[in-house]
Each structure stands twice: as structure tokens, then as C-alpha cells.
Amino acid sequence: MISPPGLKLLGMLVEEHRRDRGGTPVLVPCLHEELDKDIELLAAGARRCGGALFHLNADDEWEDPPGPIVRDRWSLLQGIFSTTPDNILPSSVKIEATTEGVTVSLADESLTPEPSLVLILRAAAVIASSAYEQFDMVAIAVTVASIDAERRELLWRMLTVDPADLNISGSQTTLVPIIGTRVDPQVDYRRRPDVRYVVRWDRVIRRSAHGRLRSIETIADLGDRPLVLFLGAGASASAGIRLGNAYRDLALEPFVGRHSDSQAAGEAFFDFLHERQHFLPGETESRTAFAADLTLERVLRETFIDLGFRPRTDSPVIQELSNDCANALGFVRLGRAAIRDLARKLCGRLIIITVNFDELVETDLGVESTVLYTPEQFEASLDYLKEYAKGDVSQPVPVLKIHGSISAPNSLIATIDTTSAGLHDSVRAALNVILEGAGPSLRWVWVGCSMRDRDVNAWLGGLSADALDEWWVDPLPGQPLDEFFARQRAPRWAKTGQQLVDRLVVDSADGFLHALAEVVNRL
């Protein structure tokens, strides 16, 4: 039986609560994408542990937190409120303790608080009450989908006050703010204090600020060895280029029409290929698996067949992608700036490989680079790549775009073998000479990669167990990465005792690259 994520979160919170931490309180911030489904389970679990869960969105079922008022905490909240603009908090607030518990309300009784403001007032009541003294574990849960951004930030600030500033008396207390929201790693992973747990529909993702820093320091400790950054779609997302699945669904429409569900569209495409007899080897085993693993590149193969001798720019999806890539060049996000820093600092060691079509990396890189995106270019560059991998600092930084470049539409997926969906011989040769020049255990970081590219995975399957020293950077690791690891890495890594979690940095591409550049600059 597969445990629901809410139950897993509860177990992790109990473990955090029971951990010996020398009698000090601890804050465990959580984000939950399906909080409404798990709220009763989490409330029952908190009670079972001698704690309490206060659900700020509970309208008719809301119970005021217990008194008396803790004046130190109320003073702290007043300090926070005193710097809050009037459009967020339209009046000063007052607090009182009754036989029913502690309540906080607007001092101006002529004002009726909006629903989003009620959540802030309830949160203040819990914080200023005696709940932290009466319960060993206090969870405050709130769904923020309908709350404007400024009030969300105020709630986060209130619910994540450092426990050392809360003047909690008694035994060690575990404070668990649980924010119900759709996770945006670009925003949520930059929050302080760090989010500890992220709950998705199928899993709980555990984050560790210390573990993240330790992993990045290990990656940065190169000596004179090269570093490969393999950039997937996630590495370009912050510049406004959508993930590959969005463009894939757009590319599917001419073949199967518009579907509200991506899986259904993928399965319809399976049926379309059956009618056309255009399957590639290994694609007919499972209709469901085919749809789940379907990539943009696979759909583009059929798109370009349909176009025949017409320009590839006649395709609506290529037009859309070209526009997005052009617009993205106007943005220099954290990750793009960090790659420029790394290219300067790691001269003769940094190798960039990508399946992305955009030109974010090579445009204004700031150092001399050689960009490869056609089979002919790869074939002509084998000696150069080998010497660079050996540490020749006189050579320009290589940027290998193994699925082509949007600047040359005819190069798109031209590097994919059209009969087996494997990499073109010249691309495989280029990757192999990099391995040959670098020697065993080449440090290789998959940044924002879905690990669903059949051509790349086929090449990986032929490598020895010690060929790569691999790491993965993924803000929301999911089933595709799990399946790749179980299929291609777990059997080989079993003897070392390493698991995926040991080589996984849970962060956005921008966050990781920025942190990596900072560490490299300190070395």
C-alpha cells in the first residue's frame, strides 16, 4: 500500500518533534499543494502527539486559541504590524482574552475585515496566546490561494518568527507553519527561513539548507578536473521559456486536436503513430508509458515530416518557441549571471551541454566560447573537445547544444537518429571524447533535467559505472527521475550504498547555479 503524502508528512514531523535538540524549540516550515485534503489527518496527528493544529481557514469550526495572553509575543506582533502599510492592515489591532480564548480584532470597529485579513488576525491570536506553552507541537495551517501577495508575505513573516524570539517557556516546542499553496521554487525556495518540507500529490520532498550547501561545496571542489553542467528545460524557465511539456502539447494539437489533459493527448498521439506506422523501436510496449514519457523532440520529428520541404518556421510551435527564446534574451536572471561567473572562473574546466534550443548561455557569455549544434560541427570538433577536457586553458569554453539551436531551425533534432531515437553518431563521439579526455568519474551535474530524453539515456546506458560522478538539481523531483534512477543507476550504485537522495540538490536551477558560483568564487 502506498502511503498518502499527508501521512508521510505527519511521520516526518513526529520525527522532527521527538529529535533530541537540547530542549530548544524548533521551527519546521512546510508548503502543501493539497492541504485541504490532508487537514483532518494532520489535525488528528497533532492531537495524537500532544499538540494542536489551528486551521486559519476553518470558518464555522474555528476555535480561539487558549489564554492567557503572552505579552512579550503580543509586543513582538505589534512591532511587525507597526511597519505594515495601511492597504494591508487598515487599522491598528487590539487583543483580548475571554473565557472562549484569545481574539485579535481591528481597533476600528466600523471596519469589517476581509476574509484574507481574518486569517492574519487569527494567526496573531495563536501566536500571542498560550498555545505554545500548553502544547508540545503547534501547527498553524493556512491556504493562501485567495490572498493577495502582500498579505501572503505578512503571514509568512508572522508564522516564521525565530522561535528564540517568541519567549516560549516550558519543554521544547515544535512549531509547524503549513502553507497551502502551489509551490513556485523561484519564489518559495528563496524564502527565509528555509522551507523544510514540500508536500505534493504523490510525495513529500525534504529540504536541508545544510545538506544543500554541503553538496554544492562538494561539486565545486574540482581541483584541476573539468565540470559538466548539463542544462535541461528547468534551467531556462526563469527567463520565461516554458518547460518542454508546454511546447509539446502545442505541437501535438495539429495531430490530435486540443486536450485538457496532457496524458490523454499523449495517448491520442500514440494512436496517431499507430495509424501512420511511425513508431520508433521500443515505443509500442505501453500506451500509458509512451504518453507519460513523451517529449517535445519526439513530437517535432512528426512535425518536420509533415512540413516536408517547407521551412520549419512554418510550424506554429517553432514560431511560438522562437518568440519566447528571443524575448528571454532580454532577461539576465540569477542562473544566467552565475553561468557567466563560472565560465570566467573555471577557464579550461567548465563544459556546458544542453538539450535546450534557446541561446541564453552563449549570448553575452563574457568569455570566448565554441557553440556546437549541428552534426558537422560536432564531428569537426572532436580533437578540440578532447584537449579541452584534458585541461587546455587556451581553448574556448565548449557549449554543446545536442538538440540543435533555435537560431538555425534546420538544426533542431537533426542530431537525433531518426530510426532509433538515439543520438547522432557525431554527438555520441563528442560526448565520448570528453569522457576520454577527462578520465574516470567526470563530475557531471544534471540541472533542471527531466531525464526523459531517450537519446541521452541510451548513451548513458552504455557507460561504465564509474564514468560519471553524477549529481541532480531538481526543485520538485518526481516520478521521471525516480524511474530513471531505478532503471539506470540503482543497480550500479547498490554496492556503494548511495541513493538518489545522496546526490540530489533540491533547488531551482537559478538558486543552485547562483550558490555554486558563490562557492567557486570563495575557493
Side-chain angles (χ1 to χ4, degrees):
M1 178 179 177
I2 300 175
S3 299
L7 189 58
K8 291 182 180 179
L9 174 64
L10 191 57
M12 291 174 170
L13 292 177
V14 170
E15 183 180 339
E16 295 269 8
H17 179 59
R18 292 178 176 173
R19 177 173 59 89
D20 184 359
R21 50 182 189 267
T24 59
V26 66
L27 181 71
V28 188
C30 305
L31 301 180
H32 197 318
E33 292 194 333
E34 296 187 340
L35 178 58
D36 290 345
K37 293 182 179 180
D38 284 340
I39 194 69
E40 293 183 4
L41 173 63
L42 293 170
R47 289 193 298 270
R48 183 68 177 82
C49 296
L53 182 145
F54 295 90
H55 185 204
L56 304 184
N57 303 92
D59 294 328
D60 296 336
E61 300 175 1
W62 172 255
E63 294 183 5
D64 294 327
I69 298 166
V70 179
R71 291 296 169 182
D72 286 346
R73 292 204 286 272
W74 177 239
S75 296
L76 183 150
L77 288 172
Q78 285 181 307
I80 293 175
F81 292 152
S82 68
T83 61
T84 301
D86 291 344
N87 64 312
I88 302 175
L89 193 64
S91 152
S92 59
V93 295
K94 62 181 181 179
I95 189 169
E96 58 182 334
T98 68
T99 56
E100 300 296 323
V102 175
T103 62
V104 175
S105 57
L106 295 177
D108 186 344
E109 296 181 358
S110 67
L111 298 174
T112 300
E114 302 144 299
S116 61
L117 185 53
V118 169
L119 303 179
I120 290 171
L121 299 176
R122 286 178 175 177
V126 176
I127 295 167
S129 75
S130 296
Y132 295 163
E133 283 72 29
Q134 295 188 26
F135 302 105
D136 289 339
M137 177 187 288
V138 176
I140 304 178
V142 56
T143 299
V144 298
S146 60
I147 306 176
D148 62 84
E150 291 176 311
R151 282 183 174 159
R152 286 190 193 189
E153 292 306 314
L154 176 58
L155 263 175
W156 178 264
R157 185 180 173 192
M158 293 169 61
L159 297 179
T160 59
V161 170
D162 189 330
D165 297 328
L166 292 175
N167 193 28
I168 299 174
S169 60
S171 61
Q172 62 181 26
T173 305
T174 303
L175 311 180
V176 188
I178 307 175
I179 311 299
T181 184
R182 184 172 181 83
V183 179
D184 180 356
Q186 299 292 344
V187 175
D188 295 320
Y189 288 2
R190 305 279 70 78
R191 294 188 181 281
R192 295 295 178 269
D194 289 278
V195 174
R196 180 64 162 169
Y197 295 108
V198 175
V199 186
R200 310 206 75 202
W201 70 274
D202 65 337
R203 69 191 59 221
V204 179
I205 301 169
R206 182 178 183 271
R207 301 182 71 242
S208 166
H210 174 74
R212 170 181 172 272
L213 178 59
R214 185 173 180 275
S215 295
I216 291 172
E217 289 175 340
T218 301
I219 292 169
D221 186 15
L222 295 167
D224 59 356
R225 301 287 312 280
L227 167 68
V228 172
L229 295 179
F230 194 108
L231 308 179
S236 297
S238 67
I241 299 176
R242 290 164 283 176
L243 297 180
N245 284 358
Y247 297 109
R248 176 204 63 193
D249 291 348
L250 180 61
L252 281 171
E253 287 186 18
F255 302 116
V256 300
R258 182 169 297 182
H259 288 68
S260 58
D261 178 74
S262 291
Q263 181 71 17
E267 292 183 7
F269 187 62
F270 180 93
D271 298 336
F272 169 83
L273 292 177
H274 173 72
E275 292 300 319
R276 254 195 184 189
Q277 290 296 289
H278 273 195
F279 282 119
L280 298 176
E283 290 185 338
T284 60
E285 295 176 4
S286 168
R287 187 170 182 263
T288 301
F290 171 86
D293 294 338
L294 185 61
T295 63
L296 168 64
E297 288 80 3
R298 178 62 184 91
V299 182
L300 285 181
R301 180 177 184 272
E302 300 304 314
T303 300
F304 296 156
I305 289 173
D306 263 14
L307 286 173
F309 291 107
R310 284 184 291 153
R312 292 184 171 183
T313 50
D314 283 0
S315 164
V317 69
I318 297 302
Q319 294 169 8
E320 186 91 1
L321 187 54
S322 296
N323 290 335
D324 288 349
C325 289
N327 292 334
L329 292 176
F331 300 95
V332 182
R333 304 299 192 198
L334 280 178
R336 191 177 177 194
I339 288 175
R340 294 174 180 180
D341 289 342
L342 290 167
R344 287 190 293 268
K345 187 70 174 180
L346 299 178
C347 181
R349 288 181 290 170
L350 180 64
I351 301 170
I352 300 172
I353 305 175
T354 181
V355 291
N356 298 338
F357 300 151
D358 63 72
E359 299 174 289
L360 290 172
V361 171
E362 63 266 37
T363 301
D364 300 326
L365 183 58
V367 299
E368 188 180 358
S369 63
T370 296
V371 184
L372 311 175
Y373 53 82
T374 68
E376 295 77 17
Q377 291 171 342
F378 284 105
E379 188 172 356
S381 302
L382 298 181
D383 291 340
Y384 145 67
L385 291 171
K386 184 174 182 179
E387 291 306 310
Y388 184 93
K390 286 181 177 180
D392 186 347
V393 297
S394 68
Q395 301 285 357
V397 173
V399 179
L400 286 69
K401 306 181 72 167
I402 64 173
H403 284 175
S405 176
I406 197 65
S407 63
N410 284 340
S411 72
L412 302 182
I413 70 167
T415 53
I416 301 177
D417 187 304
T418 56
T419 58
S420 65
L423 290 170
H424 192 280
D425 288 346
S426 62
V427 178
R428 285 201 304 272
L431 298 178
N432 288 336
V433 296
I434 290 173
L435 298 187
E436 183 181 347
S441 298
L442 169 61
R443 188 147 299 160
W444 189 290
V445 186
W446 303 94
V447 184
C449 298
S450 67
M451 306 309 296
R452 292 187 296 122
D453 289 298
R454 293 181 62 206
D455 55 342
V456 177
N457 291 347
W459 173 74
L460 289 171
L463 302 182
S464 62
D466 65 346
L468 304 179
D469 178 47
E470 289 176 286
W471 294 80
W472 285 264
V473 178
D474 195 328
L476 298 170
Q479 188 173 349
L481 179 55
D482 289 346
E483 292 176 349
F484 168 83
F485 188 84
R487 183 175 61 250
Q488 291 217 23
R489 291 295 175 262
R492 296 183 176 190
W493 288 21
K495 64 178 65 175
T496 69
Q498 286 191 330
Q499 301 177 11
L500 175 60
V501 68
D502 301 315
R503 291 301 183 103
L504 178 63
V505 179
V506 180
D507 203 352
S508 66
D510 278 6
F512 165 76
L513 291 168
H514 177 69
L516 178 63
E518 286 189 330
V519 172
V520 168
N521 285 329
R522 291 200 301 265
L523 296 177

